[in-house]
Every structure is written in C-alpha cells, then in structure tokens.
Amino acid sequence: MKFSIGGPLKLAFRPWVEGLENIPAEGPAILASNHLSFSDSFFLPAVLDRKVTFIAKAEYFTTPGVKGRMTAAFFKGVGQLPVDRSGGRGAGEAAIKSGVDVIERGELFGIYPEGTRSPDGRLYRGKPGGLARVALATGAPVIPVAMIDTEKIQPPGKVMPKLMRPGIRIGRPLDFSRYNGMEHDRFVLRAVTDEVMYEIMKLSGQEYVDIYATAAKRQIADEAKAQKQALKEAQKEADQALKEAEQAEKEAEKQAQKEVQKEAEQAEQQTEKDEKERSDS
C-alpha cells in the first residue's frame, strides 16, 4: 500500500498534515476520523509510517465482477477487516471484536464513528457502539482525526478523482481510563462518543448535525424521491394543460372555419339574390 499507492498518492495530491507527532511510534491506539470520501481510507494511511487497520463494509469484499474482485483484493491486501452491516447486533459485535483484536496486537485501529460517509460534508452524530466500546474494553487512547476537503476530490458516486490538495489534522490522544469497566453503560458510551465527535468538529471546522448520517441519507433520499414525484406530477399537469390548449386551439380553428364558411355561404346567397333582382328588373 505505502510503496505502490501511498508514494504516488502523496506525490500527486501533496496532502498537508498537522499533528503527526500525536501518532505514537509504537503501541496501540484508535484513530477516530470523520468520513467525507471513499479516499479517506487511502490518504490517512499514506501519510503515516505505521499500518492502520480499518473495518470496511462487507460489500467491498463480496461485489461480483472484475471490479468487485479487484476491490476485494485491494482491501484484503492492505489488511482491512470486512464487517457485515446488515446483521444488526451480531454485525456490531463482530466489528467490536475485530477492533479489540487489532488493539491487542499493539496496532493502530481506524474507525469512522459516523458509521458512513457524510452525505453533504457536514459532521454527523457518532454511533456509540464500536468506537467507545473498543476504547473502554482495551484502554487504548483515542486520537481524533479530521480529513479536510477529501469530499471535493472524490464526491460520492464519482470514479475519477479531482487533482487537488487535501488536508489531515490529527488531534491529541484522548484518555478515557476514568470510565474503566463501564463499557456496557450506554450513557458512558454516549458521553465518550460525543467527546470524540466534539474534538473532530474542532479539528475539521465542520458544521455539526445531531442526527445519524444514515438517517440524513434516508431523509435526503426521501426528499429526492418526493422532488422527483413532484416533477413527474408537474410534467403530467403541464402535458395535460398542453393537450387541453391544443384541443382548444383545434376547436377554435374549427369554429373559425365554420364562421368563414357561413359567411361565404351568406355572401354567395346575397350575390345570387342580387343577380336575380337585376335579372327581373
């Protein structure tokens, strides 16, 4: 990753980095980052000397076709861990166990507390399960990370990236040892997650939205669907109005023809009458 992709990536995009000294030279730590683009998982590991292991959605490993196989090979090659997000609580437990395993090996574990990419560049509420539970179960420090402008390089749905310079701000490690043994207390999990999200917000400068990104995506999708339906209805009404206008125009034209024909007939009758009167006289 670092030699085949990381080097050219840094050369081409020249990402700037602040707070690199906050990454420990050795030992476990959790990197909690905002998530703006698919490319976040490339830029962050590329600027670090150490390996970062992220959990990635299982679809990256199971998509069929040539592109799917290439994607799966890449994620496996860089040590990413597949997690099935469709399995409810079981999927969440698998993600937590994967994170704990990485930490227990003394490595860096990367996680996106929002759970998915931001749909509009704003920072959304962190999910309290994975991040907080791994942190409290292992005692590993949490290092907040802010990705800057990566959504402009590769917006969702875009394949080809735009050549511009992204940024990465790395904050100071957060210690949550005061909550030892409380990893099953949902209020503590919420407090830990909110504290991390607050630090990410300060680093990124993003507007914070106190709802989950998944809910925002559903809302955006519903609004887009409603807008599409409204446009469809408006088009239908416009088509109906056009049809009625064309029908009215045809009726008016037909009526005008009748009037012209009637006037012509009247004129012809008057002419015949005049001719008869002249003949009689």
Side-chain angles (χ1 to χ4, degrees):
M1 164 66 176
K2 294 185 183 299
F3 288 102
S4 64
I5 297 178
L9 198 70
K10 288 193 291 184
L11 183 63
F13 292 91
R14 299 181 300 112
W16 55 267
V17 186
E18 295 178 0
L20 198 58
E21 68 278 3
N22 292 320
I23 302 294
E26 58 182 21
I30 301 169
L31 304 184
S33 173
N34 60 341
H35 198 13
L36 297 173
S37 168
F38 176 77
S39 60
D40 294 337
S41 298
F42 294 86
F43 284 111
L44 181 55
V47 301
L48 302 180
D49 293 331
R50 298 182 61 185
K51 174 185 175 182
V52 184
T53 299
F54 285 92
I55 52 175
K57 60 183 180 181
E59 291 90 330
Y60 288 146
F61 298 82
T62 58
T63 303
V66 176
K67 181 180 178 181
R69 289 195 295 271
M70 291 177 63
T71 302
F74 170 79
F75 277 96
K76 290 177 182 177
V78 297
Q80 305 306 285
L81 304 173
V83 173
D84 182 3
R85 302 187 300 178
S86 64
R89 183 174 178 80
E93 293 296 332
I96 293 166
K97 184 179 184 304
S98 297
V100 170
D101 290 343
V102 172
I103 293 299
E104 288 180 346
R105 294 198 301 266
E107 300 174 0
L108 299 179
F109 175 60
I111 189 170
Y112 300 115
E114 292 168 280
T116 186
R117 282 175 286 180
S118 170
D120 54 14
R122 297 185 293 176
L123 184 68
Y124 285 85
R125 194 181 195 198
K127 294 189 173 183
L131 166 65
R133 285 187 60 185
V134 172
L136 298 183
T138 62
V142 178
I143 302 175
V145 176
M147 307 301 296
I148 312 292
D149 290 337
T150 53
E151 81 283 8
K152 299 176 183 177
I153 293 176
Q154 191 178 23
K158 297 293 184 180
V159 177
M160 294 302 296
K162 179 180 179 181
L163 197 62
M164 62 176 294
R165 196 178 186 193
I168 302 172
R169 288 197 182 100
I170 303 171
R172 294 180 179 179
L174 303 175
D175 178 18
F176 295 106
S177 59
R178 61 188 182 278
Y179 296 124
N180 282 348
M182 304 175 70
E183 62 267 22
H184 297 293
D185 186 319
R186 62 189 181 93
F187 295 105
V188 171
L189 297 178
R190 181 77 265 162
V192 169
T193 305
D194 287 346
E195 183 175 339
V196 174
M197 298 309 295
Y198 179 72
E199 293 299 322
I200 294 175
M201 181 187 70
K202 289 197 301 182
L203 291 169
S204 68
Q206 291 171 276
E207 177 187 350
Y208 179 76
V209 186
D210 196 24
I211 62 173
Y212 292 124
T214 49
K217 286 185 175 182
R218 286 195 299 269
Q219 182 179 341
I220 291 171
D222 290 342
E223 290 174 355
K225 184 177 179 180
Q227 185 178 17
K228 185 178 179 180
Q229 184 63 30
L231 288 173
K232 185 178 179 180
E233 292 295 331
Q235 184 63 48
K236 185 178 179 180
E237 291 177 2
D239 290 343
Q240 182 64 28
L242 179 61
K243 184 178 180 180
E244 292 175 356
E246 290 176 346
Q247 185 65 31
E249 185 178 356
K250 288 180 180 179
E251 291 294 334
E253 184 178 351
K254 187 176 180 181
Q255 185 64 31
Q257 288 176 350
K258 286 182 179 181
E259 294 292 335
V260 170
Q261 184 177 359
K262 183 178 180 180
E263 291 176 358
E265 290 175 352
Q266 291 175 345
E268 185 178 356
Q269 291 175 356
Q270 185 64 42
T271 300
E272 290 177 352
K273 182 179 179 182
D274 292 344
E275 288 178 353
K276 184 177 180 181
E277 289 177 351
R278 284 194 300 270
S279 176
D280 292 342
S281 62

